[in-house]
Amino acid sequence: MLVLLPPSEGKAPSAGGAPLKLESLSLPALSEAREAVLGDLVELCAGDEDKAREVLGLSEGLRGEIAKNAELRTAGARPAGQIYTGVLYDALDLASLDTAAKKRAARSLLVFSGLWGAVRVTDRIPSYRCSMGVKLPGVGALGTHWRTPMASALPEAAGDGLVLDLRSSAYASAWKPKGEIAGRTATVRVLHAPTRKVVSHFNKATKGRIVRGLLSSGAAPKGPAQLVEALRDLGYVVEVEPPTGAGKAWSLDVLVTEVH
């Protein structure tokens, strides 16, 4: 099972340890594209702060993120699972998983990123600020920049098993499962049962709890149909929309009655 996650906008501070080693990151097929984005971002943030803030879409209160980006090559790095914070990652709570579940997380979780393309939770990265919606001066729109290298790297990462896609739309733009892979891909919406509306906060929290439940239980669904069974075993109410044709993903709606 491969689980595709969005990053968090906010990040935990970088540690004082060894700096980033791009060549050590997972998915080495993305290395050249990573270097291009990293170089462009560092150059931008080492220059005119106002221009950098405009390009990155940052408020005045986040101006400090620019200086942080300018030092990405020398900043201390930590496992990505410790860098990403926010609602989904708080609910997932990787640090409190038992040893077996942590090993499953290391194998299964892939976090998409405007800067890195995608990383495993064990990959050591510095704290940064660069969303997938950014258009950098050199490489251009990041969603477009990542499509070609992702098309090469992600099918190998997906292997021959289930792909559980929990990304937001901006990050989904960087890679769309196609063909045979799409047929074993499931996307998930979390709906407030009485209104059948998506509410951002508990959508993210529920997705974090879903991933935690799958990792903790040791569930190993081979495909979308088995995923539905595993989620129901975990107590979730799931509605299923099977693919309408070849090359289409499954769509799952998880209905939640309590907003928390």
Side-chain angles (χ1 to χ4, degrees), residues 143-155:
T144 302
H145 172 77
W146 286 113
R147 282 175 198 156
T148 296
M150 287 284 190
S152 171
L154 265 292

Side-chain angles (χ1 to χ4, degrees), residues 108-164:
S108 301
L109 305 187
L110 199 62
V111 184
F112 273 62
S113 162
L115 175 52
W116 316 114
V119 291
R120 303 281 186 184
V121 293
T122 50
D123 286 333
R124 296 180 69 258
I125 59 174
S127 183
Y128 67 96
R129 191 79 175 215
C130 184
S131 70
M132 190 64 81
V134 164
K135 184 177 182 179
L136 289 174
V139 301
L142 293 179
T144 302
H145 172 77
W146 286 113
R147 282 175 198 156
T148 296
M150 287 284 190
S152 171
L154 265 292
E156 181 179 351
D160 59 2
L162 167 71
V163 178
L164 174 54

